[in-house]
Amino acid sequence: LRPRLSLWMGVHVVQLFLVFLLGLVLWFLTEGIVSNAATISRLATALFLVFYASFDSVVGIGTGLLAQVMAADRALDPAVAADVMDRYWLGRFDTPVGPLIGLADVTWLVAVTAAAGALHARGASWPAVALLIVAGIFFGIDHPSPTGTIGMVSLFAAIVLLHRGGMLPEK
């Protein structure tokens, strides 16, 4: 991590704002739709934002801060520093952070799947609906490449299809 620490920190700080924009995308997918699925999608989106931002702050930014502190301590044995970093990184699966990751993943999947259902009920094409579900599954698995990239490309493709199909409100 040391050679890319500035990049790591920059990405994880900016990612907090990008996740907010991702939440807006999900919110706008169901804009104007009055249905149980749309309501579920909006509630799950709000929860996703809370859980994902919490998880990413603790794990992403926390890992970067820990690496900065360890890199600044020249008296620290590199093997000890590496062990502490590994323990911290693997600790992301333990309570309380592990459940945050799980809740973030589940709320993302619910938000996207419910939006897909609400849009399908209004006449969205099966390819657009399928791409939304793929976005939910792959981004829910993990946000780095390749799964995060597959998820975001699928979301983008679904939005293009929904727009072309007249399913998204014109602004």
Side-chain angles (χ1 to χ4, degrees):
L1 187 60
R2 188 174 292 162
R4 297 179 297 191
L5 188 54
S6 294
L7 177 62
W8 174 277
M9 290 299 285
V11 164
H12 283 89
V13 169
V14 170
Q15 189 169 310
L16 291 172
F17 299 104
L18 294 177
V19 167
F20 172 73
L21 294 176
L22 186 57
L24 284 177
V25 167
L26 288 179
W27 194 273
F28 288 141
L29 279 178
T30 60
E31 184 178 25
I33 301 175
V34 179
S35 70
N36 288 338
T39 300
I40 290 168
S41 177
R42 290 184 198 109
L43 289 171
T45 297
L47 292 172
F48 163 74
L49 289 172
V50 170
F51 295 132
Y52 197 87
S54 300
F55 144 68
D56 204 56
S57 295
V58 170
V59 175
I61 296 171
T63 299
L65 289 173
L66 183 58
Q68 282 178 340
V69 168
M70 296 195 151
D73 187 351
R74 301 285 180 217
L76 189 59
D77 178 1
V80 171
D83 185 52
V84 170
M85 287 297 300
D86 286 344
R87 288 178 186 215
Y88 182 82
W89 183 247
L90 293 174
R92 73 187 187 277
F93 298 115
D94 297 335
T95 303
V97 178
L100 286 176
I101 295 170
L103 288 170
D105 292 342
V106 168
T107 55
W108 165 260
L109 183 57
V110 169
V112 176
T113 303
L119 288 161
H120 180 65
R122 290 194 67 197
S125 69
W126 275 110
V129 170
L131 283 167
L132 284 174
I133 293 169
V134 167
I137 292 168
F138 277 86
F139 189 77
I141 291 170
D142 208 354
H143 66 273
S145 184
T147 59
T149 304
I150 292 168
M152 291 300 99
V153 168
S154 298
L155 179 62
F156 177 76
I159 290 169
V160 168
L161 291 177
L162 290 167
H163 178 71
R164 287 186 175 171
M167 295 301 303
L168 299 179
E170 295 290 329
K171 294 288 177 182

